[in-house]
Amino acid sequence: MSAGLIYPAIEASQMAPGEGDVELYLSGVKPYMELEIQSAAQKLKAGESLDWRIHWMLVELPENLEVEVGSASLLDFVRREVERTGGNIALIN
């Protein structure tokens, strides 16, 4: 099985200073990983809120799928799965 995320794409200019659209934290000591999906940086006034949704996908990978950095077949597979479910995803090549 493999998991994926679908979330609204943001431009680099919208990111908070020193941040990215995805932040990954690894413990290095304990078996812990945190994945943070960031929305565009914006100021909220007192009492305002922001609705930011992330959708997880869990799919079984075909046994013959090449799963490694730079795999064109993996990228094509992910794009087809997202399209099949009606989601939108921005993938950077």
Side-chain angles (χ1 to χ4, degrees):
M1 290 285 194
S2 179
L5 293 168
I6 301 173
Y7 59 93
I10 61 171
E11 300 293 324
S13 62
Q14 297 175 296
M15 295 177 195
E19 302 273 335
D21 64 335
V22 176
E23 301 281 325
L24 179 63
Y25 302 95
L26 302 170
S27 166
V29 177
K30 302 212 178 225
Y32 172 80
M33 178 185 80
E34 178 184 347
L35 179 66
E36 256 181 48
I37 308 301
Q38 309 281 344
S39 70
Q42 50 193 298
K43 292 183 180 182
L44 298 176
K45 295 178 183 172
E48 287 185 320
S49 63
L50 173 69
D51 184 19
W52 180 251
R53 295 174 190 229
I54 301 167
H55 300 274
W56 285 87
M57 285 180 57
L58 183 64
V59 296
E60 190 163 349
L61 298 177
E63 286 185 30
N64 62 345
L65 185 64
E66 178 185 25
V67 180
E68 60 183 52
V69 174
S71 170
S73 58
L74 177 59
L75 183 58
D76 289 342
F77 175 81
V78 169
R79 285 185 171 140
R80 281 192 310 273
E81 286 299 307
V82 170
E83 189 175 293
R84 185 180 64 77
T85 62
N88 288 318
I89 190 168
L91 297 173
I92 300 169
N93 291 327

